[in-house]
Amino acid sequence: MTGSPPADTIGRLLIRCPDRQGIVAAVASFLSASGANILSLDQHATAPSGGTYFQRTEFALPSGNLEGLRAAFASDVARSFGMEFTLTDSAVPKRIAVLVSRIDHCLLDLLWRTERGELDVSIEVVVSNHADLAGAVEPFGVPFVHVPVTSETRAEAEARQAELLRGVDLVVLARYMQIVSGSLLDAVGVPMINIHHSFLPAFVGASPYRQAKERGVKVVGATAHYVTEVLDEGPIIEQDVVRVNHRHTTADLTRLGADVERSVLSRAVRWHCEDRVVRDGETTIVF
């Protein structure tokens, strides 16, 4: 009696390069010659000619040797087309860290979805500038680290944060109410995703939903974007809105806003961790 054959490795290939003829054929021919079976292929070019080309391909590889495939693709295909590419194993969850302050709905939603298997990620640590949410995180078995941040201790705090965030693939700001400096971005060296309500820049400060109610807004929304040195102006990954009217109270707007923030952030994190997002300057391509 023989055992079951080993399961195929499901690889994800994400590429970006100057657009020209022959890219799809070259990628498909390479994967076919390597014994891979293409499961899906999505592509986008920014212009009919002379633009930038993006492609996301999922494939099954019986041998499972992604390291060898990566090296061969770099030399046989990527070099001649001037490609930037990533090649990942879908079975390896992305390691993420979460930055949070006192507002818990986005954090708890990420923890809950991860525990249920709705997000195929590994949350390595939750770092907060307040200690309030330590008890809420404890049942999930995720380390919670309190790093106070003040104007006097910011440099020291960021050094500690960088140490805690070392080794992860993604940092998620789940309503983290501090500005992330360029030095921290550089020190961490991985993408960061932020979530905020979509009233910016009109309603800023501590009470945006009260301001929205007073101005009679008709939609409440949220935006998830990559973090850059320019506050809240990074490339947008996902947005959504829900309609409201004069009957909704400030508390209603706040509740509806939290619902939208949760869903928008979870989609952005899922898409990033499934290698569906490519940054293109100030915008994104989401497959």
Side-chain angles (χ1 to χ4, degrees):
M1 177 180 288
T2 59
S4 300
D8 291 348
T9 295
I10 306 301
R12 296 181 185 135
L13 175 64
L14 204 61
I15 66 175
R16 166 186 172 149
C17 64
D19 193 17
R20 56 181 264 201
Q21 289 183 331
I23 298 173
V24 176
V27 172
S29 296
F30 171 85
L31 291 175
S32 178
S34 302
N37 179 40
I38 293 176
L39 304 176
S40 68
L41 189 153
D42 296 302
Q43 59 181 327
H44 173 70
T46 59
S49 63
T52 304
Y53 178 80
F54 303 88
Q55 180 179 308
R56 179 185 186 271
T57 306
E58 283 195 342
F59 59 90
L61 185 68
S63 70
N65 183 16
L66 285 185
E67 288 302 320
L69 192 73
R70 183 181 294 108
F73 185 81
S75 61
D76 297 352
V77 181
R79 183 177 302 165
S80 60
F81 285 93
M83 288 180 181
E84 301 172 13
F85 78 94
T86 60
L87 178 58
T88 58
D89 185 343
S90 67
V92 179
K94 298 290 194 295
R95 295 161 53 89
I96 73 173
V98 182
L99 292 177
V100 68
S101 290
R102 288 190 168 111
I103 302 173
D104 65 358
H105 60 274
C106 286
L107 166 66
L108 295 179
D109 185 72
L110 292 172
L111 290 166
W112 181 80
R113 291 180 189 271
T114 301
E115 187 176 75
R116 287 178 58 89
E118 293 186 15
L119 282 177
D120 186 21
V121 302
S122 174
I123 300 181
E124 301 296 312
V125 66
V126 175
V127 181
S128 179
N129 58 320
H130 297 283
D132 303 48
L133 301 181
V137 174
E138 184 179 6
F140 294 94
V142 176
F144 179 94
V145 183
H146 175 212
V147 181
V149 181
T150 67
S151 57
E152 294 78 16
T153 65
R154 182 172 299 278
E156 178 184 346
E158 288 194 348
R160 175 60 174 151
Q161 289 172 334
E163 178 184 347
L164 292 166
L165 302 177
R166 187 173 297 121
V168 301
D169 302 301
L170 174 70
V171 177
V172 181
L173 278 60
R175 295 304 304 271
Y176 180 62
M177 308 305 288
Q178 292 285 326
I179 295 175
V180 175
S181 70
S183 59
L184 181 58
L185 280 169
D186 291 341
V188 175
V190 299
M192 296 188 182
I193 293 177
N194 188 30
I195 184 72
H196 58 70
H197 59 76
S198 289
F199 298 139
L200 295 173
F203 307 139
V204 297
S207 56
Y209 289 99
R210 178 185 56 76
Q211 297 176 63
K213 171 64 177 175
E214 292 171 351
R215 290 286 298 277
V217 298
K218 299 299 181 280
V219 294
V220 169
T223 295
H225 63 88
Y226 287 115
V227 178
T228 64
E229 288 191 61
V230 183
L231 181 63
D232 292 330
E233 291 190 17
I236 293 170
I237 305 169
E238 172 64 338
Q239 294 177 297
D240 205 352
V241 296
V242 59
R243 293 200 64 81
V244 296
N245 59 44
H246 57 278
R247 293 186 174 87
H248 289 97
T249 65
T250 299
D252 292 331
L253 299 187
T254 303
R255 171 179 54 80
L256 292 168
D259 286 344
V260 177
E261 288 174 7
R262 280 191 286 260
S263 60
V264 167
L265 181 60
S266 68
R267 289 199 294 270
V269 170
R270 177 180 295 109
W271 294 342
H272 176 92
C273 292
E274 290 179 351
D275 303 300
R276 296 184 179 278
V277 186
V278 189
R279 292 175 62 163
D280 180 26
E282 297 303 311
T283 186
T284 59
I285 309 299
V286 182
F287 290 114

